[in-house]
């Protein structure tokens, strides 16, 4: 038995089918002229016949359920799984227009490559540049690990005293509900 494991992500709701999954393998058939009694010194050179066969699984029917619309957070961007979040911001003592790096690490189990950094509607008076992202997986299926985002923002006013709280929302399929992770506001000193 050779197990083959593949992670699939449903992209639509309703009845879906998986398979059949096919694979071609080469098998070694024993030599037809083997001696039944005793040792045959030429047997090591006669390995028998190789034959290619095709194997196929049955089709598996599954039901893909829609995500609930009740209580969906405003900044929900489609993340499904179980996650934790850490946010680091620096430097925090800057001049107007200086770059500040916001590093967001989202760790856990889910489709990490599909995670996107949600828009932060409360980040007014900051010029925000497009984020970069890097995924580091810790399992063969790529479903467990960390996705790290780095985004450069620049304060546009000396009236800014903090970077407002950062939040990330996801649907937890085990708990069957939405969760929102929040990083508190970070104090900033913005000089002219």
């Amino acid at each position: 038995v050779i197990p083959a494991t593949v992670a699939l992500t449903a992209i639509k709701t309703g009845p879906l089918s998986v398979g059949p999954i096919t694979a071609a393998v080469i098998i070694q058939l024993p030599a037809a002229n083997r001696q039944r009694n005793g040792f045959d010194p030429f047997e090591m050179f006669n390995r028998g016949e190789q034959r290619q066969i095709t194997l196929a699984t049955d089709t598996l029917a599954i039901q893909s359920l829609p995500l609930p619309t009740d209580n969906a957070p405003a900044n929900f961007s489609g993340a499904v799984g179980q996650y934790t979040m850490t946010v680091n911001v620096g430097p925090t003592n800057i001049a107007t227009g200086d770059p500040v790096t916001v590093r967001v690490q989202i760790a856990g189990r889910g489709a990490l490559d599909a995670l996107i950094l949600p828009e932060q509607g409360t980040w007014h008076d900051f010029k925000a540049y497009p984020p970069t992202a890097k995924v580091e997986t810790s399992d063969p299926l790529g479903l467990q690990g960390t996705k790290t985002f780095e985004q450069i923002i620049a304060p546009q006013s000396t009236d800014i005293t903090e970077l407002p709280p950062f939040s990330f929302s996801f649907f937890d399929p085990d708990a069957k509900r939405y969760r929102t992770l929040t990083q508190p506001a970070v104090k900033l000193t913005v000089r002219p």
Side-chain angles (χ1 to χ4, degrees):
V1 174
I2 301 172
T5 306
V6 177
L8 301 175
T9 301
I11 58 172
K12 65 179 187 174
T13 60
L16 302 173
S17 62
V18 177
I21 299 172
T22 60
V25 296
I26 296 176
I27 61 169
Q28 185 80 31
L29 298 175
N33 62 349
R34 276 194 184 178
Q35 268 191 346
R36 298 285 180 214
N37 299 329
F39 174 73
D40 182 354
F42 298 104
E43 186 175 329
M44 70 173 83
F45 300 111
N46 187 5
R47 303 247 180 212
E49 178 186 352
Q50 288 186 345
R51 200 174 283 170
Q52 182 172 331
I53 61 171
T54 301
L55 303 174
T57 66
D58 293 331
T59 299
L60 177 65
I62 58 174
Q63 182 68 24
S64 176
L65 302 174
L67 292 175
T69 55
D70 295 345
N71 301 321
N75 74 339
F76 176 67
S77 58
V80 177
Q82 292 90 29
Y83 300 104
T84 60
M85 179 183 71
T86 58
V87 178
N88 294 306
V89 178
T92 56
N93 188 341
I94 64 280
T96 304
D98 280 352
V100 175
T101 301
V102 179
R103 181 175 289 117
V104 179
Q105 286 188 326
I106 298 173
R109 181 168 176 75
L112 295 169
D113 57 344
L115 294 181
I116 61 171
L117 197 61
E119 290 289 325
Q120 299 299 310
T122 59
W123 288 10
H124 304 293
D125 297 324
F126 288 91
K127 179 172 181 161
Y129 296 89
T132 60
K134 179 175 77 168
V135 176
E136 294 178 7
T137 59
S138 59
D139 73 322
L141 297 176
L143 296 175
Q144 184 85 28
T146 303
K147 186 162 188 177
T148 303
F149 296 93
E150 281 194 6
Q151 184 169 23
I152 303 297
I153 59 172
Q156 301 298 295
S157 165
T158 56
D159 295 335
I160 296 172
T161 59
E162 66 181 17
L163 179 67
F166 181 89
S167 64
F168 170 72
S169 297
F170 61 95
F171 182 76
D172 183 337
D174 290 344
K176 295 182 177 41
R177 67 183 183 101
Y178 291 96
R179 296 184 186 268
T180 298
L181 305 173
T182 303
Q183 168 74 26
V186 175
K187 296 293 181 194
L188 296 177
T189 302
V190 182
R191 303 179 311 276

